Amino acid sequence: MIRISAKDARKMGLKIPKGPKASGSEGDTKKTGGRHLRSQAHAEERQVSFRVDIPPKTKSRARSFADKGTLLNAFKAAKGDPRKFMALLEAGFMKTVTPSATRDFENVVRMVATREMARNKQALFEGPIKASLTFILAGDEGMWPTAQRDGDLDNLSKAIFDGMNGVVYKDDRLIVKMNLSKLCGENPGVEITVSAE
């Protein structure tokens, strides 16, 4: 396929249809507020599939805190004014930390995804995508993973999606469809497929 700019097409006397562009690139979405047309046809069907061979982990919430020294400094700077004290805390005295287990799991997902994207010579997905995730948790294949320790599907998927951000797709907001499931099995891990939608 040969692509030419609209300007060059006009120079050659070709008529350019009015309306949003249909190539699906990120730059084409500026006029539509960052949204993509549902009728856009992708020039090619793209898909990447891989497996992360470690037990799935849920996304733990980031924790915000202020150590005693930080609190004391904010209190001194506020000079007894409670509003100023609260404003100082909100303006950066608080620290937010992602738990190390979550960060480590997301890094493993990122490394596997990076390797698979390079191995398959895949470019970053920049348009609407579908994500399919199958979580295999340790256990008897005849059982459903519904115990407290098995985690919620939404929290399991958040850790995977964040780990693939900027590696498989530009941003996880591009996910317009998802298929999530969790099963028990002998080989814990996550089977992942991302495809252009």
Side-chain angles (χ1 to χ4, degrees), residues 58-89:
T58 58
K59 172 94 178 185
S60 297
R61 289 188 178 93
R63 305 289 184 220
S64 296
F65 67 94
D67 59 39
K68 287 181 183 179
T70 301
L71 287 171
L72 184 58
N73 289 338
F75 186 75
K76 285 179 183 176
K79 298 180 181 170
D81 182 347
R83 288 188 189 138
K84 190 173 180 182
F85 176 69
M86 292 306 293
L88 286 168
L89 288 178

mmCIF file of all heavy atoms in Angstrom, residues 58-89:
data_model
loop_
_atom_site.group_PDB
_atom_site.id
_atom_site.type_symbol
_atom_site.label_atom_id
_atom_site.label_comp_id
_atom_site.label_asym_id
_atom_site.label_seq_id
_atom_site.Cartn_x
_atom_site.Cartn_y
_atom_site.Cartn_z
ATOM 1 N N THR A 58 -2.847 -9.720 42.165
ATOM 2 C CA THR A 58 -3.793 -8.606 42.055
ATOM 3 C C THR A 58 -3.038 -7.289 42.162
ATOM 4 O O THR A 58 -1.943 -7.230 42.713
ATOM 5 C CB THR A 58 -4.858 -8.658 43.167
ATOM 6 O OG1 THR A 58 -4.208 -8.636 44.434
ATOM 7 C CG2 THR A 58 -5.734 -9.887 43.037
ATOM 8 N N LYS A 59 -3.639 -6.240 41.636
ATOM 9 C CA LYS A 59 -3.068 -4.900 41.729
ATOM 10 C C LYS A 59 -3.374 -4.365 43.116
ATOM 11 O O LYS A 59 -4.530 -4.159 43.477
ATOM 12 C CB LYS A 59 -3.681 -4.009 40.653
ATOM 13 C CG LYS A 59 -3.326 -2.546 40.750
ATOM 14 C CD LYS A 59 -2.158 -2.234 39.905
ATOM 15 C CE LYS A 59 -1.832 -0.749 39.955
ATOM 16 N NZ LYS A 59 -0.766 -0.417 39.058
ATOM 17 N N SER A 60 -2.338 -4.178 43.913
ATOM 18 C CA SER A 60 -2.527 -3.594 45.241
ATOM 19 C C SER A 60 -2.591 -2.080 45.098
ATOM 20 O O SER A 60 -1.903 -1.500 44.265
ATOM 21 C CB SER A 60 -1.367 -3.965 46.163
ATOM 22 O OG SER A 60 -1.324 -5.356 46.347
ATOM 23 N N ARG A 61 -3.401 -1.460 45.905
ATOM 24 C CA ARG A 61 -3.546 -0.008 45.835
ATOM 25 C C ARG A 61 -2.262 0.677 46.299
ATOM 26 O O ARG A 61 -1.604 0.231 47.238
ATOM 27 C CB ARG A 61 -4.697 0.448 46.710
ATOM 28 C CG ARG A 61 -6.038 0.065 46.155
ATOM 29 C CD ARG A 61 -7.158 0.714 46.958
ATOM 30 N NE ARG A 61 -8.441 0.382 46.388
ATOM 31 C CZ ARG A 61 -9.182 -0.634 46.761
ATOM 32 N NH1 ARG A 61 -8.764 -1.435 47.712
ATOM 33 N NH2 ARG A 61 -10.337 -0.864 46.189
ATOM 34 N N ALA A 62 -1.956 1.787 45.641
ATOM 35 C CA ALA A 62 -0.826 2.610 46.071
ATOM 36 C C ALA A 62 -1.152 3.181 47.453
ATOM 37 O O ALA A 62 -2.310 3.462 47.763
ATOM 38 C CB ALA A 62 -0.582 3.728 45.072
ATOM 39 N N ARG A 63 -0.151 3.339 48.267
ATOM 40 C CA ARG A 63 -0.338 3.849 49.629
ATOM 41 C C ARG A 63 0.260 5.248 49.740
ATOM 42 O O ARG A 63 1.373 5.485 49.283
ATOM 43 C CB ARG A 63 0.354 2.942 50.656
ATOM 44 C CG ARG A 63 -0.064 1.496 50.573
ATOM 45 C CD ARG A 63 -1.477 1.309 51.065
ATOM 46 N NE ARG A 63 -1.821 -0.108 51.068
ATOM 47 C CZ ARG A 63 -2.994 -0.562 50.698
ATOM 48 N NH1 ARG A 63 -3.918 0.252 50.303
ATOM 49 N NH2 ARG A 63 -3.255 -1.841 50.734
ATOM 50 N N SER A 64 -0.503 6.164 50.345
ATOM 51 C CA SER A 64 -0.016 7.517 50.582
ATOM 52 C C SER A 64 0.255 7.678 52.068
ATOM 53 O O SER A 64 -0.507 7.191 52.900
ATOM 54 C CB SER A 64 -1.048 8.549 50.136
ATOM 55 O OG SER A 64 -1.238 8.472 48.749
ATOM 56 N N PHE A 65 1.333 8.353 52.366
ATOM 57 C CA PHE A 65 1.698 8.533 53.760
ATOM 58 C C PHE A 65 2.601 9.754 53.906
ATOM 59 O O PHE A 65 3.135 10.277 52.935
ATOM 60 C CB PHE A 65 2.430 7.287 54.301
ATOM 61 C CG PHE A 65 3.774 7.064 53.667
ATOM 62 C CD1 PHE A 65 4.923 7.551 54.258
ATOM 63 C CD2 PHE A 65 3.878 6.376 52.466
ATOM 64 C CE1 PHE A 65 6.158 7.359 53.665
ATOM 65 C CE2 PHE A 65 5.101 6.171 51.877
ATOM 66 C CZ PHE A 65 6.251 6.659 52.472
ATOM 67 N N ALA A 66 2.754 10.181 55.124
ATOM 68 C CA ALA A 66 3.709 11.231 55.468
ATOM 69 C C ALA A 66 4.443 10.743 56.700
ATOM 70 O O ALA A 66 3.827 10.330 57.675
ATOM 71 C CB ALA A 66 3.002 12.544 55.743
ATOM 72 N N ASP A 67 5.769 10.789 56.672
ATOM 73 C CA ASP A 67 6.518 10.357 57.852
ATOM 74 C C ASP A 67 6.447 11.443 58.931
ATOM 75 O O ASP A 67 6.006 12.563 58.689
ATOM 76 C CB ASP A 67 7.960 10.001 57.498
ATOM 77 C CG ASP A 67 8.718 11.155 56.868
ATOM 78 O OD1 ASP A 67 8.527 12.298 57.309
ATOM 79 O OD2 ASP A 67 9.513 10.895 55.954
ATOM 80 N N LYS A 68 6.884 11.109 60.132
ATOM 81 C CA LYS A 68 6.777 12.048 61.259
ATOM 82 C C LYS A 68 7.510 13.352 60.984
ATOM 83 O O LYS A 68 7.018 14.430 61.313
ATOM 84 C CB LYS A 68 7.312 11.400 62.535
ATOM 85 C CG LYS A 68 6.410 10.343 63.100
ATOM 86 C CD LYS A 68 6.988 9.764 64.385
ATOM 87 C CE LYS A 68 6.111 8.652 64.900
ATOM 88 N NZ LYS A 68 6.650 8.044 66.123
ATOM 89 N N GLY A 69 8.689 13.268 60.378
ATOM 90 C CA GLY A 69 9.462 14.470 60.062
ATOM 91 C C GLY A 69 8.727 15.379 59.100
ATOM 92 O O GLY A 69 8.707 16.608 59.262
ATOM 93 N N THR A 70 8.087 14.781 58.094
ATOM 94 C CA THR A 70 7.324 15.556 57.113
ATOM 95 C C THR A 70 6.141 16.241 57.783
ATOM 96 O O THR A 70 5.867 17.420 57.534
ATOM 97 C CB THR A 70 6.837 14.633 55.974
ATOM 98 O OG1 THR A 70 7.969 14.033 55.354
ATOM 99 C CG2 THR A 70 6.037 15.388 54.948
ATOM 100 N N LEU A 71 5.441 15.490 58.635
ATOM 101 C CA LEU A 71 4.309 16.079 59.355
ATOM 102 C C LEU A 71 4.762 17.229 60.258
ATOM 103 O O LEU A 71 4.115 18.281 60.296
ATOM 104 C CB LEU A 71 3.598 15.014 60.194
ATOM 105 C CG LEU A 71 2.768 13.998 59.424
ATOM 106 C CD1 LEU A 71 2.297 12.884 60.357
ATOM 107 C CD2 LEU A 71 1.582 14.660 58.757
ATOM 108 N N LEU A 72 5.868 17.050 60.948
ATOM 109 C CA LEU A 72 6.386 18.086 61.840
ATOM 110 C C LEU A 72 6.758 19.338 61.044
ATOM 111 O O LEU A 72 6.425 20.457 61.454
ATOM 112 C CB LEU A 72 7.603 17.559 62.618
ATOM 113 C CG LEU A 72 8.191 18.496 63.657
ATOM 114 C CD1 LEU A 72 7.141 18.878 64.704
ATOM 115 C CD2 LEU A 72 9.385 17.851 64.332
ATOM 116 N N ASN A 73 7.414 19.160 59.899
ATOM 117 C CA ASN A 73 7.785 20.311 59.063
ATOM 118 C C ASN A 73 6.558 21.053 58.545
ATOM 119 O O ASN A 73 6.544 22.290 58.521
ATOM 120 C CB ASN A 73 8.664 19.862 57.889
ATOM 121 C CG ASN A 73 10.051 19.452 58.338
ATOM 122 O OD1 ASN A 73 10.514 19.860 59.400
ATOM 123 N ND2 ASN A 73 10.706 18.637 57.533
ATOM 124 N N ALA A 74 5.527 20.314 58.143
ATOM 125 C CA ALA A 74 4.299 20.951 57.663
ATOM 126 C C ALA A 74 3.614 21.708 58.798
ATOM 127 O O ALA A 74 3.117 22.818 58.603
ATOM 128 C CB ALA A 74 3.353 19.908 57.072
ATOM 129 N N PHE A 75 3.632 21.115 59.987
ATOM 130 C CA PHE A 75 3.015 21.758 61.155
ATOM 131 C C PHE A 75 3.740 23.060 61.496
ATOM 132 O O PHE A 75 3.117 24.092 61.741
ATOM 133 C CB PHE A 75 3.035 20.799 62.347
ATOM 134 C CG PHE A 75 2.306 21.328 63.541
ATOM 135 C CD1 PHE A 75 0.922 21.352 63.563
ATOM 136 C CD2 PHE A 75 3.007 21.798 64.639
ATOM 137 C CE1 PHE A 75 0.243 21.850 64.668
ATOM 138 C CE2 PHE A 75 2.344 22.300 65.743
ATOM 139 C CZ PHE A 75 0.957 22.323 65.754
ATOM 140 N N LYS A 76 5.088 23.016 61.468
ATOM 141 C CA LYS A 76 5.882 24.218 61.764
ATOM 142 C C LYS A 76 5.637 25.292 60.710
ATOM 143 O O LYS A 76 5.473 26.466 61.040
ATOM 144 C CB LYS A 76 7.365 23.877 61.809
ATOM 145 C CG LYS A 76 7.791 23.136 63.049
ATOM 146 C CD LYS A 76 9.283 22.830 62.996
ATOM 147 C CE LYS A 76 9.725 22.016 64.184
ATOM 148 N NZ LYS A 76 11.151 21.633 64.094
ATOM 149 N N ALA A 77 5.599 24.888 59.438
ATOM 150 C CA ALA A 77 5.403 25.851 58.351
ATOM 151 C C ALA A 77 4.006 26.472 58.399
ATOM 152 O O ALA A 77 3.828 27.631 58.012
ATOM 153 C CB ALA A 77 5.631 25.181 57.000
ATOM 154 N N ALA A 78 3.021 25.735 58.892
ATOM 155 C CA ALA A 78 1.642 26.240 58.968
ATOM 156 C C ALA A 78 1.456 27.209 60.120
ATOM 157 O O ALA A 78 0.488 27.970 60.140
ATOM 158 C CB ALA A 78 0.671 25.081 59.105
ATOM 159 N N LYS A 79 2.362 27.215 61.086
ATOM 160 C CA LYS A 79 2.321 28.115 62.237
ATOM 161 C C LYS A 79 0.962 28.105 62.937
ATOM 162 O O LYS A 79 0.390 29.139 63.242
ATOM 163 C CB LYS A 79 2.702 29.530 61.827
ATOM 164 C CG LYS A 79 4.116 29.620 61.296
ATOM 165 C CD LYS A 79 4.481 31.020 60.906
ATOM 166 C CE LYS A 79 5.910 30.987 60.360
ATOM 167 N NZ LYS A 79 6.300 32.221 59.748
ATOM 168 N N GLY A 80 0.426 26.886 63.143
ATOM 169 C CA GLY A 80 -0.818 26.730 63.887
ATOM 170 C C GLY A 80 -2.092 26.896 63.073
ATOM 171 O O GLY A 80 -3.178 26.744 63.605
ATOM 172 N N ASP A 81 -1.973 27.195 61.789
ATOM 173 C CA ASP A 81 -3.157 27.384 60.947
ATOM 174 C C ASP A 81 -3.555 26.032 60.336
ATOM 175 O O ASP A 81 -2.841 25.498 59.484
ATOM 176 C CB ASP A 81 -2.834 28.390 59.836
ATOM 177 C CG ASP A 81 -4.029 28.688 58.937
ATOM 178 O OD1 ASP A 81 -5.035 27.948 58.994
ATOM 179 O OD2 ASP A 81 -3.948 29.669 58.175
ATOM 180 N N PRO A 82 -4.702 25.454 60.768
ATOM 181 C CA PRO A 82 -5.087 24.127 60.274
ATOM 182 C C PRO A 82 -5.299 24.080 58.756
ATOM 183 O O PRO A 82 -4.973 23.100 58.102
ATOM 184 C CB PRO A 82 -6.385 23.794 61.016
ATOM 185 C CG PRO A 82 -6.736 24.966 61.837
ATOM 186 C CD PRO A 82 -5.645 25.971 61.750
ATOM 187 N N ARG A 83 -5.848 25.167 58.200
ATOM 188 C CA ARG A 83 -6.066 25.189 56.742
ATOM 189 C C ARG A 83 -4.726 25.158 55.996
ATOM 190 O O ARG A 83 -4.579 24.456 54.999
ATOM 191 C CB ARG A 83 -6.867 26.415 56.339
ATOM 192 C CG ARG A 83 -8.313 26.323 56.749
ATOM 193 C CD ARG A 83 -9.116 27.462 56.175
ATOM 194 N NE ARG A 83 -10.442 27.445 56.778
ATOM 195 C CZ ARG A 83 -11.084 28.512 57.186
ATOM 196 N NH1 ARG A 83 -10.555 29.693 57.035
ATOM 197 N NH2 ARG A 83 -12.276 28.400 57.718
ATOM 198 N N LYS A 84 -3.793 25.935 56.469
ATOM 199 C CA LYS A 84 -2.471 25.973 55.826
ATOM 200 C C LYS A 84 -1.781 24.621 55.986
ATOM 201 O O LYS A 84 -1.129 24.131 55.062
ATOM 202 C CB LYS A 84 -1.624 27.091 56.437
ATOM 203 C CG LYS A 84 -0.346 27.352 55.686
ATOM 204 C CD LYS A 84 0.372 28.585 56.223
ATOM 205 C CE LYS A 84 1.655 28.825 55.449
ATOM 206 N NZ LYS A 84 2.395 29.974 55.964
ATOM 207 N N PHE A 85 -1.951 24.015 57.142
ATOM 208 C CA PHE A 85 -1.363 22.695 57.395
ATOM 209 C C PHE A 85 -1.904 21.667 56.396
ATOM 210 O O PHE A 85 -1.144 20.936 55.765
ATOM 211 C CB PHE A 85 -1.671 22.265 58.835
ATOM 212 C CG PHE A 85 -1.192 20.880 59.186
ATOM 213 C CD1 PHE A 85 0.153 20.590 59.295
ATOM 214 C CD2 PHE A 85 -2.108 19.859 59.426
ATOM 215 C CE1 PHE A 85 0.599 19.322 59.623
ATOM 216 C CE2 PHE A 85 -1.680 18.585 59.751
ATOM 217 C CZ PHE A 85 -0.328 18.312 59.859
ATOM 218 N N MET A 86 -3.235 21.637 56.229
ATOM 219 C CA MET A 86 -3.843 20.693 55.283
ATOM 220 C C MET A 86 -3.405 21.003 53.852
ATOM 221 O O MET A 86 -3.132 20.094 53.066
ATOM 222 C CB MET A 86 -5.375 20.730 55.388
ATOM 223 C CG MET A 86 -5.899 20.175 56.713
ATOM 224 S SD MET A 86 -5.289 18.514 57.095
ATOM 225 C CE MET A 86 -6.078 17.575 55.818
ATOM 226 N N ALA A 87 -3.326 22.283 53.503
ATOM 227 C CA ALA A 87 -2.895 22.668 52.157
ATOM 228 C C ALA A 87 -1.455 22.210 51.908
ATOM 229 O O ALA A 87 -1.127 21.736 50.809
ATOM 230 C CB ALA A 87 -3.015 24.180 51.972
ATOM 231 N N LEU A 88 -0.597 22.336 52.907
ATOM 232 C CA LEU A 88 0.795 21.893 52.763
ATOM 233 C C LEU A 88 0.872 20.378 52.570
ATOM 234 O O LEU A 88 1.655 19.889 51.755
ATOM 235 C CB LEU A 88 1.633 22.311 53.976
ATOM 236 C CG LEU A 88 1.988 23.795 54.054
ATOM 237 C CD1 LEU A 88 2.552 24.139 55.428
ATOM 238 C CD2 LEU A 88 2.971 24.166 52.949
ATOM 239 N N LEU A 89 0.046 19.640 53.294
ATOM 240 C CA LEU A 89 0.030 18.188 53.131
ATOM 241 C C LEU A 89 -0.435 17.807 51.725
ATOM 242 O O LEU A 89 0.151 16.938 51.081
ATOM 243 C CB LEU A 89 -0.874 17.530 54.175
ATOM 244 C CG LEU A 89 -0.349 17.507 55.603
ATOM 245 C CD1 LEU A 89 -1.380 16.858 56.533
ATOM 246 C CD2 LEU A 89 0.971 16.787 55.704
#
